[in-house]
PDB file of all heavy atoms in Angstrom:
ATOM      1  N   ILE A   7     -20.129  11.644  10.045  1.00 98.00           N
ATOM      2  CA  ILE A   7     -20.174  11.744  11.501  1.00 98.00           C
ATOM      3  C   ILE A   7     -20.670  10.421  12.006  1.00 98.00           C
ATOM      4  O   ILE A   7     -21.862  10.076  11.831  1.00 98.00           O
ATOM      5  CB  ILE A   7     -21.140  12.882  11.943  1.00 98.00           C
ATOM      6  CG1 ILE A   7     -20.807  14.188  11.161  1.00 98.00           C
ATOM      7  CG2 ILE A   7     -21.084  13.094  13.462  1.00 98.00           C
ATOM      8  CD1 ILE A   7     -19.396  14.725  11.362  1.00 98.00           C
ATOM      9  N   GLY A   8     -19.760   9.670  12.606  1.00 97.00           N
ATOM     10  CA  GLY A   8     -20.101   8.266  13.003  1.00 97.00           C
ATOM     11  C   GLY A   8     -19.626   7.315  11.929  1.00 97.00           C
ATOM     12  O   GLY A   8     -20.235   7.303  10.839  1.00 97.00           O
ATOM     13  N   GLY A   9     -18.554   6.591  12.214  1.00 96.00           N
ATOM     14  CA  GLY A   9     -17.968   5.755  11.124  1.00 96.00           C
ATOM     15  C   GLY A   9     -18.009   4.297  11.497  1.00 96.00           C
ATOM     16  O   GLY A   9     -17.007   3.595  11.438  1.00 96.00           O
ATOM     17  N   GLY A  10     -19.196   3.803  11.852  1.00 95.00           N
ATOM     18  CA  GLY A  10     -19.314   2.358  12.145  1.00 95.00           C
ATOM     19  C   GLY A  10     -19.657   1.605  10.834  1.00 95.00           C
ATOM     20  O   GLY A  10     -19.166   1.955   9.753  1.00 95.00           O
ATOM     21  N   VAL A  11     -20.507   0.603  10.979  1.00 94.00           N
ATOM     22  CA  VAL A  11     -20.859  -0.231   9.814  1.00 94.00           C
ATOM     23  C   VAL A  11     -21.394   0.645   8.690  1.00 94.00           C
ATOM     24  O   VAL A  11     -20.974   0.558   7.527  1.00 94.00           O
ATOM     25  CB  VAL A  11     -21.963  -1.275  10.209  1.00 94.00           C
ATOM     26  CG1 VAL A  11     -22.447  -2.022   9.007  1.00 94.00           C
ATOM     27  CG2 VAL A  11     -21.430  -2.180  11.299  1.00 94.00           C
ATOM     28  N   ILE A  12     -22.306   1.544   9.013  1.00 97.00           N
ATOM     29  CA  ILE A  12     -22.975   2.350   8.003  1.00 97.00           C
ATOM     30  C   ILE A  12     -22.171   3.582   7.588  1.00 97.00           C
ATOM     31  O   ILE A  12     -21.964   3.835   6.432  1.00 97.00           O
ATOM     32  CB  ILE A  12     -24.393   2.776   8.523  1.00 97.00           C
ATOM     33  CG1 ILE A  12     -25.254   1.516   8.663  1.00 97.00           C
ATOM     34  CG2 ILE A  12     -25.037   3.795   7.627  1.00 97.00           C
ATOM     35  CD1 ILE A  12     -25.422   0.689   7.389  1.00 97.00           C
ATOM     36  N   GLY A  13     -21.621   4.268   8.579  1.00 98.00           N
ATOM     37  CA  GLY A  13     -20.804   5.455   8.269  1.00 98.00           C
ATOM     38  C   GLY A  13     -19.584   5.045   7.442  1.00 98.00           C
ATOM     39  O   GLY A  13     -19.173   5.737   6.509  1.00 98.00           O
ATOM     40  N   PHE A  30     -15.473  12.069  11.497  1.00 98.00           N
ATOM     41  CA  PHE A  30     -15.371  12.243  12.962  1.00 98.00           C
ATOM     42  C   PHE A  30     -16.059  11.061  13.619  1.00 98.00           C
ATOM     43  O   PHE A  30     -17.245  10.770  13.383  1.00 98.00           O
ATOM     44  CB  PHE A  30     -16.034  13.546  13.459  1.00 98.00           C
ATOM     45  CG  PHE A  30     -16.196  13.560  14.940  1.00 98.00           C
ATOM     46  CD1 PHE A  30     -15.058  13.653  15.771  1.00 98.00           C
ATOM     47  CD2 PHE A  30     -17.416  13.417  15.553  1.00 98.00           C
ATOM     48  CE1 PHE A  30     -15.163  13.636  17.156  1.00 98.00           C
ATOM     49  CE2 PHE A  30     -17.541  13.402  16.948  1.00 98.00           C
ATOM     50  CZ  PHE A  30     -16.380  13.505  17.775  1.00 98.00           C
ATOM     51  N   ASP A  31     -15.329  10.344  14.453  1.00 98.00           N
ATOM     52  CA  ASP A  31     -15.850   9.259  15.244  1.00 98.00           C
ATOM     53  C   ASP A  31     -14.970   9.158  16.474  1.00 98.00           C
ATOM     54  O   ASP A  31     -13.757   8.958  16.368  1.00 98.00           O
ATOM     55  CB  ASP A  31     -15.873   7.964  14.475  1.00 98.00           C
ATOM     56  CG  ASP A  31     -16.620   6.838  15.188  1.00 98.00           C
ATOM     57  OD1 ASP A  31     -16.458   6.698  16.425  1.00 98.00           O
ATOM     58  OD2 ASP A  31     -17.381   6.125  14.535  1.00 98.00           O
ATOM     59  N   PRO A  32     -15.582   9.284  17.713  1.00 97.00           N
ATOM     60  CA  PRO A  32     -14.712   9.279  18.920  1.00 97.00           C
ATOM     61  C   PRO A  32     -14.069   7.934  19.226  1.00 97.00           C
ATOM     62  O   PRO A  32     -13.133   7.807  20.036  1.00 97.00           O
ATOM     63  CB  PRO A  32     -15.681   9.668  20.052  1.00 97.00           C
ATOM     64  CG  PRO A  32     -17.040   9.379  19.488  1.00 97.00           C
ATOM     65  CD  PRO A  32     -16.986   9.483  18.026  1.00 97.00           C
ATOM     66  N   ASP A  33     -14.531   6.888  18.574  1.00 97.00           N
ATOM     67  CA  ASP A  33     -13.967   5.539  18.818  1.00 97.00           C
ATOM     68  C   ASP A  33     -12.520   5.455  18.319  1.00 97.00           C
ATOM     69  O   ASP A  33     -12.275   5.669  17.126  1.00 97.00           O
ATOM     70  CB  ASP A  33     -14.869   4.483  18.092  1.00 97.00           C
ATOM     71  CG  ASP A  33     -14.364   3.073  18.341  1.00 97.00           C
ATOM     72  OD1 ASP A  33     -13.329   2.908  19.002  1.00 97.00           O
ATOM     73  OD2 ASP A  33     -15.015   2.139  17.848  1.00 97.00           O
ATOM     74  N   SER A  84     -24.279   9.146  11.014  1.00 98.00           N
ATOM     75  CA  SER A  84     -24.533   7.735  11.193  1.00 98.00           C
ATOM     76  C   SER A  84     -24.146   7.306  12.575  1.00 98.00           C
ATOM     77  O   SER A  84     -23.385   6.322  12.760  1.00 98.00           O
ATOM     78  CB  SER A  84     -23.762   6.911  10.144  1.00 98.00           C
ATOM     79  OG  SER A  84     -23.968   7.366   8.846  1.00 98.00           O
ATOM     80  N   VAL A  85     -24.556   8.076  13.606  1.00 98.00           N
ATOM     81  CA  VAL A  85     -24.239   7.703  14.970  1.00 98.00           C
ATOM     82  C   VAL A  85     -25.297   6.712  15.454  1.00 98.00           C
ATOM     83  O   VAL A  85     -26.307   6.513  14.773  1.00 98.00           O
ATOM     84  CB  VAL A  85     -24.153   8.944  15.926  1.00 98.00           C
ATOM     85  CG1 VAL A  85     -23.160   9.986  15.379  1.00 98.00           C
ATOM     86  CG2 VAL A  85     -25.496   9.600  16.109  1.00 98.00           C
ATOM     87  N   PRO A  86     -25.081   6.026  16.599  1.00 97.00           N
ATOM     88  CA  PRO A  86     -26.042   4.986  16.997  1.00 97.00           C
ATOM     89  C   PRO A  86     -27.484   5.484  17.101  1.00 97.00           C
ATOM     90  O   PRO A  86     -27.704   6.712  17.286  1.00 97.00           O
ATOM     91  CB  PRO A  86     -25.517   4.599  18.409  1.00 97.00           C
ATOM     92  CG  PRO A  86     -24.024   4.842  18.315  1.00 97.00           C
ATOM     93  CD  PRO A  86     -23.900   6.122  17.485  1.00 97.00           C
ATOM     94  N   GLU A  87     -28.416   4.564  16.953  1.00 96.00           N
ATOM     95  CA  GLU A  87     -29.819   4.918  16.814  1.00 96.00           C
ATOM     96  C   GLU A  87     -30.440   5.288  18.144  1.00 96.00           C
ATOM     97  O   GLU A  87     -31.287   4.566  18.716  1.00 96.00           O
ATOM     98  CB  GLU A  87     -30.527   3.686  16.193  1.00 96.00           C
ATOM     99  CG  GLU A  87     -31.964   3.894  15.757  1.00 96.00           C
ATOM    100  CD  GLU A  87     -32.195   4.698  14.478  1.00 96.00           C
ATOM    101  OE1 GLU A  87     -31.241   5.298  14.002  1.00 96.00           O
ATOM    102  OE2 GLU A  87     -33.345   4.676  14.004  1.00 96.00           O
ATOM    103  N   LEU A  91     -28.890  11.184  21.506  1.00 97.00           N
ATOM    104  CA  LEU A  91     -27.498  11.302  20.959  1.00 97.00           C
ATOM    105  C   LEU A  91     -27.559  12.020  19.585  1.00 97.00           C
ATOM    106  O   LEU A  91     -26.756  12.921  19.333  1.00 97.00           O
ATOM    107  CB  LEU A  91     -26.919   9.901  20.808  1.00 97.00           C
ATOM    108  CG  LEU A  91     -25.524   9.841  20.203  1.00 97.00           C
ATOM    109  CD1 LEU A  91     -24.500  10.565  21.017  1.00 97.00           C
ATOM    110  CD2 LEU A  91     -25.085   8.412  19.995  1.00 97.00           C
ATOM    111  N   LYS A  92     -28.489  11.626  18.801  1.00 96.00           N
ATOM    112  CA  LYS A  92     -28.546  12.245  17.451  1.00 96.00           C
ATOM    113  C   LYS A  92     -28.823  13.756  17.605  1.00 96.00           C
ATOM    114  O   LYS A  92     -28.212  14.606  16.946  1.00 96.00           O
ATOM    115  CB  LYS A  92     -29.661  11.571  16.572  1.00 96.00           C
ATOM    116  CG  LYS A  92     -29.237  10.160  16.165  1.00 96.00           C
ATOM    117  CD  LYS A  92     -29.986   9.674  14.929  1.00 96.00           C
ATOM    118  CE  LYS A  92     -29.738   8.225  14.632  1.00 96.00           C
ATOM    119  NZ  LYS A  92     -28.662   7.994  13.656  1.00 96.00           N
ATOM    120  N   VAL A  95     -25.806  15.681  18.463  1.00 97.00           N
ATOM    121  CA  VAL A  95     -24.946  15.842  17.299  1.00 97.00           C
ATOM    122  C   VAL A  95     -25.479  16.952  16.371  1.00 97.00           C
ATOM    123  O   VAL A  95     -24.761  17.811  15.876  1.00 97.00           O
ATOM    124  CB  VAL A  95     -24.845  14.499  16.536  1.00 97.00           C
ATOM    125  CG1 VAL A  95     -24.197  14.693  15.159  1.00 97.00           C
ATOM    126  CG2 VAL A  95     -23.993  13.501  17.351  1.00 97.00           C
ATOM    127  N   SER A 112     -28.647   8.747   8.589  1.00 98.00           N
ATOM    128  CA  SER A 112     -28.838   7.317   8.217  1.00 98.00           C
ATOM    129  C   SER A 112     -29.908   6.645   9.042  1.00 98.00           C
ATOM    130  O   SER A 112     -30.118   5.447   8.888  1.00 98.00           O
ATOM    131  CB  SER A 112     -27.495   6.595   8.444  1.00 98.00           C
ATOM    132  OG  SER A 112     -26.483   7.079   7.655  1.00 98.00           O
ATOM    133  N   THR A 113     -30.604   7.372   9.911  1.00 96.00           N
ATOM    134  CA  THR A 113     -31.531   6.746  10.837  1.00 96.00           C
ATOM    135  C   THR A 113     -32.470   5.735  10.152  1.00 96.00           C
ATOM    136  O   THR A 113     -33.083   6.017   9.123  1.00 96.00           O
ATOM    137  CB  THR A 113     -32.397   7.786  11.590  1.00 96.00           C
ATOM    138  OG1 THR A 113     -33.265   7.074  12.450  1.00 96.00           O
ATOM    139  CG2 THR A 113     -33.197   8.693  10.675  1.00 96.00           C
ATOM    140  N   SER A 114     -32.606   4.583  10.816  1.00 93.00           N
ATOM    141  CA  SER A 114     -33.502   3.538  10.296  1.00 93.00           C
ATOM    142  C   SER A 114     -34.949   3.769  10.699  1.00 93.00           C
ATOM    143  O   SER A 114     -35.866   3.326  10.020  1.00 93.00           O
ATOM    144  CB  SER A 114     -33.062   2.168  10.812  1.00 93.00           C
ATOM    145  OG  SER A 114     -31.728   1.922  10.543  1.00 93.00           O
ATOM    146  N   HIS A 135     -31.603   7.370   4.217  1.00 98.00           N
ATOM    147  CA  HIS A 135     -31.476   6.045   4.823  1.00 98.00           C
ATOM    148  C   HIS A 135     -30.920   4.997   3.829  1.00 98.00           C
ATOM    149  O   HIS A 135     -31.567   4.721   2.835  1.00 98.00           O
ATOM    150  CB  HIS A 135     -32.866   5.588   5.332  1.00 98.00           C
ATOM    151  CG  HIS A 135     -32.815   4.236   5.931  1.00 98.00           C
ATOM    152  ND1 HIS A 135     -33.649   3.201   5.497  1.00 98.00           N
ATOM    153  CD2 HIS A 135     -32.074   3.689   6.944  1.00 98.00           C
ATOM    154  CE1 HIS A 135     -33.386   2.102   6.212  1.00 98.00           C
ATOM    155  NE2 HIS A 135     -32.466   2.387   7.056  1.00 98.00           N
ATOM    156  N   PRO A 136     -29.733   4.479   4.119  1.00 98.00           N
ATOM    157  CA  PRO A 136     -29.065   3.567   3.194  1.00 98.00           C
ATOM    158  C   PRO A 136     -29.303   2.099   3.609  1.00 98.00           C
ATOM    159  O   PRO A 136     -29.946   1.823   4.640  1.00 98.00           O
ATOM    160  CB  PRO A 136     -27.614   3.913   3.379  1.00 98.00           C
ATOM    161  CG  PRO A 136     -27.516   4.226   4.868  1.00 98.00           C
ATOM    162  CD  PRO A 136     -28.858   4.771   5.264  1.00 98.00           C
ATOM    163  N   ASN A 138     -27.206  -1.728   4.001  1.00 97.00           N
ATOM    164  CA  ASN A 138     -25.879  -2.349   4.169  1.00 97.00           C
ATOM    165  C   ASN A 138     -25.644  -3.459   3.141  1.00 97.00           C
ATOM    166  O   ASN A 138     -26.534  -4.284   3.039  1.00 97.00           O
ATOM    167  CB  ASN A 138     -25.805  -2.921   5.617  1.00 97.00           C
ATOM    168  CG  ASN A 138     -24.413  -3.272   6.011  1.00 97.00           C
ATOM    169  OD1 ASN A 138     -23.443  -2.706   5.572  1.00 97.00           O
ATOM    170  ND2 ASN A 138     -24.300  -4.278   6.865  1.00 97.00           N
TER     171      ASN A 138
HETATM  172  N1  NAD B   1     -26.562  -1.482  10.553  1.00 84.30           N
HETATM  173  C1  NAD B   1     -27.501  -1.391   9.624  1.00 84.30           C
HETATM  174  O1  NAD B   1     -27.764  -2.361   8.929  1.00 84.30           O
HETATM  175  C2  NAD B   1     -28.118  -0.050   9.328  1.00 84.30           C
HETATM  176  C3  NAD B   1     -28.754   0.132   8.095  1.00 84.30           C
HETATM  177  C4  NAD B   1     -29.265   1.377   7.749  1.00 84.30           C
HETATM  178  C5  NAD B   1     -29.161   2.432   8.661  1.00 84.30           C
HETATM  179  N2  NAD B   1     -28.624   2.227   9.887  1.00 84.30           N
HETATM  180  C6  NAD B   1     -28.555   3.364  10.810  1.00 84.30           C
HETATM  181  O2  NAD B   1     -27.240   3.928  10.781  1.00 84.30           O
HETATM  182  C7  NAD B   1     -26.898   4.498  12.026  1.00 84.30           C
HETATM  183  C8  NAD B   1     -25.588   3.888  12.561  1.00 84.30           C
HETATM  184  O3  NAD B   1     -25.739   2.529  12.640  1.00 84.30           O
HETATM  185  P1  NAD B   1     -24.493   1.506  12.615  1.00 84.30           P
HETATM  186  O4  NAD B   1     -25.089   0.157  12.361  1.00 84.30           O
HETATM  187  O5  NAD B   1     -23.449   2.009  11.683  1.00 84.30           O
HETATM  188  O6  NAD B   1     -23.968   1.607  14.096  1.00 84.30           O
HETATM  189  P2  NAD B   1     -22.484   1.323  14.662  1.00 84.30           P
HETATM  190  O7  NAD B   1     -22.654   1.076  16.091  1.00 84.30           O
HETATM  191  O8  NAD B   1     -21.804   0.282  13.824  1.00 84.30           O
HETATM  192  O9  NAD B   1     -21.728   2.677  14.415  1.00 84.30           O
HETATM  193  C9  NAD B   1     -22.009   3.848  15.085  1.00 84.30           C
HETATM  194  C10 NAD B   1     -20.743   4.665  15.179  1.00 84.30           C
HETATM  195  O10 NAD B   1     -21.010   5.943  15.713  1.00 84.30           O
HETATM  196  C11 NAD B   1     -19.900   6.274  16.555  1.00 84.30           C
HETATM  197  N3  NAD B   1     -20.354   7.308  17.471  1.00 84.30           N
HETATM  198  C12 NAD B   1     -20.938   7.169  18.709  1.00 84.30           C
HETATM  199  N4  NAD B   1     -21.202   8.399  19.229  1.00 84.30           N
HETATM  200  C13 NAD B   1     -20.789   9.307  18.314  1.00 84.30           C
HETATM  201  C14 NAD B   1     -20.778  10.759  18.275  1.00 84.30           C
HETATM  202  N5  NAD B   1     -21.261  11.477  19.278  1.00 84.30           N
HETATM  203  N6  NAD B   1     -20.292  11.351  17.188  1.00 84.30           N
HETATM  204  C15 NAD B   1     -19.762  10.642  16.169  1.00 84.30           C
HETATM  205  N7  NAD B   1     -19.744   9.302  16.153  1.00 84.30           N
HETATM  206  C16 NAD B   1     -20.263   8.625  17.231  1.00 84.30           C
HETATM  207  C17 NAD B   1     -19.505   5.000  17.200  1.00 84.30           C
HETATM  208  O11 NAD B   1     -18.206   5.076  17.691  1.00 84.30           O
HETATM  209  C18 NAD B   1     -19.674   4.015  16.050  1.00 84.30           C
HETATM  210  O12 NAD B   1     -18.452   3.892  15.306  1.00 84.30           O
HETATM  211  C19 NAD B   1     -28.117   4.263  12.936  1.00 84.30           C
HETATM  212  O13 NAD B   1     -28.939   5.398  12.902  1.00 84.30           O
HETATM  213  C20 NAD B   1     -28.840   3.104  12.246  1.00 84.30           C
HETATM  214  O14 NAD B   1     -30.203   3.065  12.499  1.00 84.30           O
HETATM  215  C21 NAD B   1     -28.078   1.029  10.222  1.00 84.30           C
END
Side-chain angles (χ1 to χ4, degrees):
I7 310 301
V11 174
I12 294 303
F30 168 69
D31 189 316
D33 180 357
S84 308
V85 305
E87 188 76 347
L91 176 62
K92 290 203 188 264
V95 167
S112 298
T113 178
S114 305
H135 177 236
N138 193 29

